[in-house]
Amino acid sequence: MKRLENKVALITGGSRGMGAAIAERFAAEGADVVITYARSTDSAGQVVEKVKQQGRKALAVQADSALPADIQQAVKQAVATFGRIDILVNNAGVFQMKQLEDYTLEDYDHMMAVNTKAVFVAAQAAVAHMPEGGRIITIGSNMAERLTTAGGLLYSMSKSALLGLNKGLARDLAARGITANLVQPGPIDTDMNPADSPHAEGIRSQTAVGRYGQAREIASLVTFLASPESSFITGTEQTIDGGYNI
Ligand code: NDP
């Protein structure tokens, strides 16, 4: 028996990086998958193909997480296609480093809209269609716990807010048999944080394990949290950073 047999999952930001790895792993575990994306139509199409090659159904929806109406529409499309949402993975995120004086209010609004408000909007829309046993998994960051460099204040703030949101979701939804957990990655080799960037060596040296993580390692943890095996785990933060923050 596969761990997510016949489950329906909605993954925001599933066209690249961790979201794509989670979509492919979920399909391997027996789930049908809806992914959202902002711009990468081709990459989203490739993820859909990979899911289908594993014998599962998939749908890609262009939905800007900065726009609540887009997220609500993506949930509607997922439900119209597959009838329900068993698993919501709030993965879409944006990253920007600037000094305090260089940030604009537009930077603030966009970072908070995509990294924080979108999680609230997606959860609110999805739970209306989520049966007992449902799962909400949100991708935060280990930068919510510990900020080791200057310039990350907005990103850190946007991800820190998810700790409270996640706990609230866990409390509000427990009676319905739905769990909510926050996954806080450290440096993971994706387009957002490539392991060959000019900053990579400094980042790598701060991990205990001496390397970047891979998107599939995040997908492993998210798959466990999405599965029935995690039924007594709710409201938690799971930091997965190769010992960066210890
Ligand atoms: P990537 O930049 O590789 O991929 C981001 C994904 O999110 C893409 O699918 C992208 O879609 C989508 N996305 C971005 N903005 C929007 C938007 N406005 N609306 C809808 N989709 C959007 O990022 P990662 O895979 O590295 O990051 C995934 C999550 O993990 C994020 O929340 C990030 O903050 C977090 N994280 C990442 C770390 C890292 O080291 N990589 C460390 C800690 C946390 P499109 O392809 O269309 O642009």
Side-chain angles (χ1 to χ4, degrees), residues 199-216:
H199 317 288
E201 201 41 56
I203 292 171
R204 194 177 287 115
S205 69
Q206 292 195 58
T207 65
V209 299
R211 67 171 177 86
Y212 270 57
Q214 299 297 320
R216 61 179 160 70

Side-chain angles (χ1 to χ4, degrees), residues 48-71:
V48 165
E49 277 315 303
K50 284 185 184 157
V51 169
K52 288 183 175 167
Q53 281 164 15
Q54 305 192 66
R56 302 308 311 186
K57 296 182 195 129
L59 175 72
V61 181
Q62 185 167 27
D64 184 347
S65 284
L67 304 174
D70 275 25
I71 299 168

Side-chain angles (χ1 to χ4, degrees), residues 6-11 23-24 26-28 30-35 47-60 78 81-84:
N6 296 326
K7 299 287 186 190
V8 177
L10 171 61
I11 302 162
E24 289 165 33
F26 275 15
D32 295 328
V33 174
V34 180
I35 60 167
V47 174
V48 165
E49 277 315 303
K50 284 185 184 157
V51 169
K52 288 183 175 167
Q53 281 164 15
Q54 305 192 66
R56 302 308 311 186
K57 296 182 195 129
L59 175 72
T81 308
F82 295 116
R84 64 185 193 282

Side-chain angles (χ1 to χ4, degrees), residues 50-129:
K50 284 185 184 157
V51 169
K52 288 183 175 167
Q53 281 164 15
Q54 305 192 66
R56 302 308 311 186
K57 296 182 195 129
L59 175 72
V61 181
Q62 185 167 27
D64 184 347
S65 284
L67 304 174
D70 275 25
I71 299 168
Q72 290 159 345
Q73 184 57 31
V75 168
K76 271 192 195 154
Q77 270 185 260
V79 173
T81 308
F82 295 116
R84 64 185 193 282
I85 296 171
D86 298 298
I87 305 160
L88 169 67
V89 181
N90 292 302
N91 166 78
V94 286
F95 177 74
Q96 190 181 38
M97 297 280 279
K98 284 186 184 180
Q99 293 299 313
L100 171 63
E101 57 273 25
D102 297 329
Y103 279 116
T104 65
L105 291 179
E106 288 72 26
D107 292 333
Y108 180 102
D109 287 341
H110 189 250
M111 185 98 68
M112 294 301 287
V114 176
N115 290 0
T116 312
K117 187 176 180 182
V119 177
F120 169 80
V121 174
Q124 191 180 50
V127 295
H129 310 279

Side-chain angles (χ1 to χ4, degrees), residues 89-176:
V89 181
N90 292 302
N91 166 78
V94 286
F95 177 74
Q96 190 181 38
M97 297 280 279
K98 284 186 184 180
Q99 293 299 313
L100 171 63
E101 57 273 25
D102 297 329
Y103 279 116
T104 65
L105 291 179
E106 288 72 26
D107 292 333
Y108 180 102
D109 287 341
H110 189 250
M111 185 98 68
M112 294 301 287
V114 176
N115 290 0
T116 312
K117 187 176 180 182
V119 177
F120 169 80
V121 174
Q124 191 180 50
V127 295
H129 310 279
M130 190 173 281
E132 188 172 344
R135 298 279 186 268
I136 300 176
I137 299 145
T138 299
I139 310 298
S141 167
N142 73 339
M143 286 171 72
E145 287 181 333
R146 191 161 166 257
L147 199 50
T148 56
T149 182
L153 70 90
L154 273 190
Y155 184 74
S156 169
M157 183 180 73
S158 71
K159 295 294 192 178
S160 299
L162 299 176
L163 277 87
L165 177 46
N166 178 59
K167 288 182 208 290
L169 290 174
R171 284 284 183 196
D172 279 16
L173 299 172
R176 291 179 49 187

Side-chain angles (χ1 to χ4, degrees), residues 13-18 37-40 63-66 91-94 114 139-141 155 159 185-188 190-193:
S15 49
R16 293 182 289 118
M18 290 180 226
Y37 65 98
R39 289 170 299 274
S40 306
D64 184 347
S65 284
N91 166 78
V94 286
V114 176
I139 310 298
S141 167
Y155 184 74
K159 295 294 192 178
I188 308 299
T190 64
D191 295 341
M192 185 183 279
N193 188 4

